Amino acid sequence: MAPDADVLTIGELAERSGVPASALRFYERQGLIRSRRTSGNQRRYTRATLRQVAFIKASQSVGIPLDDIGGVLAFLPADTAPTQEFWERASACWKDMLNVRIKRMVRMRDLFTECIGCGCLSFDQCALINPGDKLSRHGPGPRRLLKD
């Protein structure tokens, strides 16, 4: 790929982004990225797509679902790279969700070797922390992990 190329093939985008071509095609089918087609029906991507893919991968790496990523990318004009302001706005949209996820992960780390309130009573400790599955009154699943 020429450093100043205005458009990228799917192979060039895959190589530069580190994302397999199959994933790029999937992103396109999901409406996360866009391409133009040549007369031979080959995909061509603008250089801005490289930054959009980086945004998708960074967002996925912290557990943001693709539907949420797509919702935010829908506000980005076509063929435009995410800007600092765009990243800040996306971060603001996801801040509360990420904070809840962080709390759950910390709780899981701290409680995983203890009773998590699932009612399984398979650990000796469960009989002490959750006797008679008293946490079931609060709903199904691992109640001590799920509380927000």
Side-chain angles (χ1 to χ4, degrees):
M1 169 178 74
D4 59 346
D6 289 333
V7 294
L8 308 170
T9 66
I10 193 166
E12 291 167 335
L13 182 60
E15 182 179 344
R16 181 67 180 92
S17 68
V19 175
S22 59
L24 295 172
R25 287 189 288 273
F26 175 77
Y27 291 164
E28 191 170 345
R29 282 192 307 273
Q30 298 302 307
L32 300 172
I33 61 174
R34 297 175 196 88
S35 70
R36 292 193 175 89
R37 299 295 181 120
T38 67
S39 58
N41 204 31
Q42 295 176 336
R43 290 175 167 88
R44 294 294 185 263
Y45 299 92
T46 64
R47 289 192 65 76
T49 308
L50 186 56
R51 292 207 179 166
Q52 292 170 358
V53 172
F55 175 81
I56 294 166
K57 294 307 293 178
S59 302
Q60 282 185 303
S61 75
V62 295
I64 304 297
L66 283 178
D67 285 344
D68 292 343
I69 296 168
V72 169
L73 282 172
F75 292 107
L76 192 64
D79 301 328
T80 303
T83 62
Q84 172 87 23
E85 180 185 7
F86 178 84
W87 280 85
E88 289 170 2
R89 292 178 83 184
S91 176
C93 288
W94 297 332
K95 183 178 181 179
D96 291 340
M97 176 180 50
L98 289 172
N99 284 335
V100 167
R101 184 169 288 148
I102 289 167
K103 280 182 178 177
R104 285 184 180 160
M105 291 173 69
V106 166
R107 200 170 18 240
M108 176 168 277
R109 180 200 64 204
D110 295 345
L111 297 175
F112 200 64
T113 58
E114 299 178 13
C115 172
I116 56 175
C118 65
C120 70
L121 303 176
S122 62
F123 296 112
D124 292 337
Q125 199 171 8
C126 284
L128 299 173
I129 296 174
N130 187 21
D133 192 20
K134 66 184 176 196
L135 291 172
S136 66
R137 291 185 298 237
H138 303 287
R143 301 316 311 162
R144 291 181 68 208
L145 287 179
L146 297 178
K147 66 180 182 179
D148 292 324

